[in-house]
Amino acid sequence: MTSWEHRSRRLSLAASVASTTIALCLSANAADVTYERLLNSANEPQNWLMRAGNYSNWNNSKLTEINRGNVANLKVKFMFGMSDPTRPSKAAQYFTPIVEDGFMYVGNQYHQYWKLDVRDGKPKVVWKFDTKTQGGERSAHSVTLSGNNVYMVMNSNTTNPRLIALDKNSGVPVFDVSLNIPEAPNQGSSGAPLAVKDKIIIGSSGKNESGRGYVAAYSAKDGKLMWKFMVVPEPGQPGSETWADPRTIAFGGGGVWTEPSFDPETNLAYYGTGNPVHMFDPQGRPGDNLYTSSVIALDVDTGQLKWHFQTIPNEGWDYDAVMLTQLYDVTINGERRKVVSQTNRNGFFYTWDRTNGQFIKGEPYTTVNWTKGLDPKTGRPADYDPGKTVQDYAGKAVRYGRKALDVQPAHYGMPTFMPNSYDPTRGVTYFNVMVGRANYFNSRAADLEKGVAGTGFREIFCESHTKDNAVEPIVRNVTNPNCKVSHGLLGAIDIATGTMVKKLESRMPAYSGVLGTDGGLLFMGDIMGKISALDKDTLQELWSFDTGTQFSGNPMTYSVNGKQYVAMTLGGRPGRDEGSYPEALALSQNVMLVVFGL
């Protein structure tokens, strides 16, 4: 881009900033968000500077004003509408608000962003920025603060996925760069960027899950690309030998949908990667398919892969590994270990040594029938056969012409973008998911001569198949009112043993993250828009509020002038995987910010 083009782009973008900016920017200035502040974010419990609270993704706050003794008195303090009447189509709303020193940053699924002054308990618009994107099927998970800027990413459903930096005081663009790269066109991001040192690091995934996922670092100053790591390697690179047919590399998958954790001691960012493509066609992409369905540890300065762990080679049920990872130190078998953990979509809770990727343990947290178990030494499925390029774990793999299989857990609703909450005093991590069973099948074989991936699907299992032959068209059976198999699960896992020590099952499933506080509380929501506060020790519900609209975001908490608030964005994911709950599908969508307080 020439200097004239760059100047023109900045002027064009600046024109989309609301006129309220200038009048209020003088009172909206704040200190720079330095790398040191992010490293020590726990020392600023009044703020919420990152999507999951800190670099270790604990999603737990030290605030205690709202606690088990008074949470029953929680009330709505304000609501702020974020719908756009010019874009009435339904889209998923996941956004987690960010708060710094009484100023909140919030956005919607159309990639419109606001800075709000919430210092007096009511929202005042400081500025609004509209990215003017087309598409808008889902919001980003959040934005990122670094220095004097706020950074935001566009997803793959837009015509031009971008990374944009705004001056956080004025809302005026600092730079705007495309996320498209030659090796992986038509990419975009859903996870919030990671601000580390002088870099903004993002994960990208392909539109409709095709293409190749990657992680890339950009200069926080000017948006210049500094390094990139391709999840599916180029032919001849390490890992490419696990794609037995090199023709499948071009559409190999491995999208990076969520945020990483980061350890300043190892200088590593720990990302989860997505499924290989097509997700229900392991025959069409023979081989282990590295580095899909894996946890990868990347050096943040260079992008170099330091270690990886693949949860399922040649995976075939969309059991990707994109879930957020958490970092903590824990005593296991009498030894103090620096670990990284993940509540994986495949039904196992994994623990690894975060310095070298050594597998420590993997324990099931729900019913699992896709494998006989995990090898205690390697952590791979016990029925993995290294001599085969196409695996058939426990006889449950999807195959051309095979009848639909009852597989547990079903991939929908298992941990993906919803953060766990780790409580360091209890040594417990809490998760909130939908669990169930599903029939998996392949409906079209891959055509590698034409470079076309296979296709397949799954239907929620309701004790009967709609069709026995998986190669025939299958009617999706998700609105059967008699099907009660899928349901919600809130679980508490002891990080030392990896086993679930407490659980609460509910009829209504959830896609909400779990926010924990040192007031002894957990905050979460379900697909009907019911927001709840529960006791960390008993999981007893202590308070609830029915919002009347879908919810699938992650609650956060902050305080101003000693008053604590709990905030979240409503809007949910209309029409997505609600299973046999037509009442959830029928809910209207109202996109808004809601803030609770005493």
Side-chain angles (χ1 to χ4, degrees):
M1 180 181 292
T2 66
S3 60
W4 182 88
E5 290 172 325
H6 182 74
R7 180 173 179 270
S8 297
R9 168 61 67 86
R10 288 189 60 182
L11 290 173
S12 175
L13 286 169
S16 66
V17 180
S19 60
T20 53
T21 298
I22 304 302
L24 292 171
C25 67
L26 293 177
S27 62
N29 294 334
D32 283 359
V33 178
T34 62
Y35 176 52
E36 288 70 26
R37 283 185 69 188
L38 294 176
L39 285 173
N40 298 288
S41 59
N43 296 333
E44 301 182 34
Q46 75 279 14
N47 292 326
W48 195 258
L49 299 178
M50 286 178 268
R51 192 230 176 177
N54 62 9
Y55 277 134
S56 294
N57 284 340
W58 284 7
N59 210 40
N60 190 80
S61 171
K62 291 184 176 180
L63 295 178
T64 60
E65 188 208 6
I66 300 172
N67 53 58
R68 288 179 287 195
N70 59 23
V71 69
N73 299 322
L74 213 58
K75 297 177 176 60
V76 173
K77 289 299 181 179
F78 68 83
M79 304 181 83
F80 180 80
M82 298 190 298
S83 295
D84 185 337
T86 68
R87 301 177 185 179
S89 60
K90 292 184 176 182
Q93 175 67 15
Y94 302 139
F95 195 96
T96 301
I98 298 296
V99 170
E100 182 202 11
D101 298 336
F103 294 95
M104 177 182 289
Y105 301 86
V106 67
N108 65 14
Q109 65 269 52
Y110 305 114
H111 298 288
Q112 298 168 324
Y113 298 89
W114 291 262
K115 179 176 181 177
L116 304 176
D117 184 342
V118 294
R119 289 176 295 180
D120 66 355
K122 300 294 181 182
K124 298 182 180 66
V125 176
V126 179
W127 50 253
K128 177 185 178 182
F129 181 80
D130 189 340
T131 61
K132 304 295 185 182
T133 63
Q134 303 303 312
E137 290 187 11
R138 60 182 180 271
S139 73
H141 296 165
S142 195
V143 294
T144 293
L145 298 176
S146 180
N148 193 49
N149 294 339
V150 53
Y151 298 85
M152 54 199 64
V153 292
M154 309 300 109
N155 64 42
S156 58
N157 297 112
T158 64
T159 56
N160 179 27
R162 294 129 65 195
L163 168 66
I164 297 175
L166 306 179
D167 181 292
K168 70 177 183 180
N169 295 323
S170 67
V172 172
V174 176
F175 65 75
D176 172 5
V177 296
S178 174
L179 296 180
N180 282 322
I181 62 172
E183 299 92 335
N186 300 316
Q187 301 288 303
S189 296
S190 55
L194 175 72
V196 178
K197 305 175 186 178
D198 62 341
K199 299 176 181 65
I200 302 298
I201 305 175
I202 65 169
S204 286
S205 53
K207 187 173 184 177
N208 299 323
E209 303 186 18
S210 61
R212 298 159 63 197
Y214 67 90
V215 179
Y218 297 83
S219 166
K221 179 180 180 182
D222 57 17
K224 180 180 179 181
L225 179 65
M226 303 179 75
W227 58 253
K228 62 178 179 288
F229 173 82
M230 303 301 301
V231 172
V232 178
E234 298 286 347
Q237 292 182 341
S240 63
E241 71 282 358
T242 67
W243 296 81
D245 190 327
R247 293 176 296 179
T248 62
I249 286 178
F251 54 83
V256 183
W257 299 92
T258 55
E259 300 80 10
S261 53
F262 168 67
D263 181 2
E265 293 184 10
T266 62
N267 205 44
L268 299 179
Y270 305 89
Y271 276 96
T273 69
N275 54 273
V277 172
H278 185 274
M279 65 187 77
F280 305 134
D281 186 18
Q283 288 171 281
R285 41 170 172 76
D288 286 357
N289 308 141
L290 285 174
Y291 297 95
T292 66
S293 299
S294 300
V295 170
I296 56 176
L298 302 179
D299 186 289
V300 298
D301 292 334
T302 65
Q304 182 180 358
L305 178 68
K306 292 298 185 179
W307 62 258
H308 76 277
F309 182 93
Q310 188 175 46
T311 55
I312 310 177
N314 192 232
E315 186 273 317
W317 307 276
D318 196 17
Y319 291 156
D320 55 29
V322 299
M323 293 62 63
L324 274 71
T325 54
Q326 291 186 311
L327 309 181
Y328 39 76
D329 298 349
V330 59
T331 300
I332 299 177
N333 298 327
E335 182 182 1
R336 195 69 174 170
R337 305 292 297 269
K338 295 180 179 296
V339 306
V340 52
S341 72
Q342 187 185 65
T343 311
N344 193 274
R345 206 171 186 178
N346 65 20
F348 288 93
F349 177 77
Y350 290 87
T351 305
W352 304 275
D353 186 307
R354 68 175 180 263
T355 66
N356 57 22
Q358 177 192 2
F359 173 75
I360 297 176
K361 62 176 58 197
E363 299 289 344
Y365 62 86
T366 187
T367 302
V368 172
N369 74 359
W370 64 266
T371 180
K372 295 183 293 186
L374 300 183
D375 185 301
K377 292 183 179 180
T378 67
R380 283 182 164 179
D383 24 21
Y384 169 72
D385 186 342
K388 295 181 178 179
T389 57
V390 179
Q391 303 294 325
D392 192 2
Y393 302 109
K396 292 289 187 180
V398 181
R399 288 287 183 271
Y400 303 149
R402 177 180 282 182
K403 292 182 179 180
L405 296 168
D406 172 20
V407 181
Q408 292 179 266
H411 76 274
Y412 59 85
M414 299 304 281
T416 46
F417 51 83
M418 51 280 265
N420 284 20
S421 178
Y422 170 62
D423 187 318
T425 61
R426 289 170 172 80
V428 168
T429 187
Y430 300 89
F431 67 93
N432 186 23
V433 297
M434 175 199 285
V435 294
R437 298 152 64 182
N439 298 319
Y440 291 83
F441 53 88
N442 178 275
S443 54
R444 187 192 71 198
D447 186 341
L448 298 183
E449 290 295 328
K450 297 181 179 179
V452 176
T455 58
F457 203 65
R458 61 102 185 100
E459 60 173 358
I460 294 174
F461 187 70
C462 298
E463 307 299 343
S464 64
H465 302 281
T466 53
K467 296 283 186 179
D468 277 338
N469 189 345
V471 298
E472 294 179 6
I474 291 187
V475 178
R476 190 179 183 192
N477 194 24
V478 297
T479 56
N480 179 356
N482 298 315
C483 175
K484 307 300 181 187
V485 176
S486 58
H487 61 278
L489 172 64
L490 172 65
I493 294 175
D494 183 320
I495 63 167
T497 64
T499 58
M500 192 152 59
V501 293
K502 195 167 288 295
K503 68 177 181 178
L504 176 67
E505 296 185 280
S506 59
R507 177 178 181 269
M508 280 297 167
Y511 291 107
S512 159
V514 184
L515 169 71
T517 75
D518 281 4
L521 296 171
L522 300 172
F523 290 91
M524 52 176 268
D526 66 22
I527 61 173
M528 290 296 291
K530 177 186 175 183
I531 311 301
S532 301
L534 302 100
D535 187 303
K536 276 187 173 181
D537 295 323
T538 66
L539 302 188
Q540 177 186 358
E541 185 180 279
L542 303 177
W543 168 88
S544 68
F545 182 87
D546 291 313
T547 66
T549 192
Q550 296 101 342
F551 178 68
S552 60
N554 183 49
M556 55 80 69
T557 187
Y558 67 97
S559 70
V560 179
N561 299 322
K563 294 182 179 181
Q564 183 182 354
Y565 301 90
V566 176
M568 62 205 72
T569 61
L570 305 177
R573 38 189 276 145
R576 291 289 305 278
D577 296 332
E578 275 74 15
S580 56
Y581 299 94
E583 60 265 56
L585 294 174
L587 275 180
S588 62
Q589 183 186 34
N590 298 296
V591 183
M592 65 183 68
L593 165 73
V594 59
V595 176
F596 299 95
L598 295 174

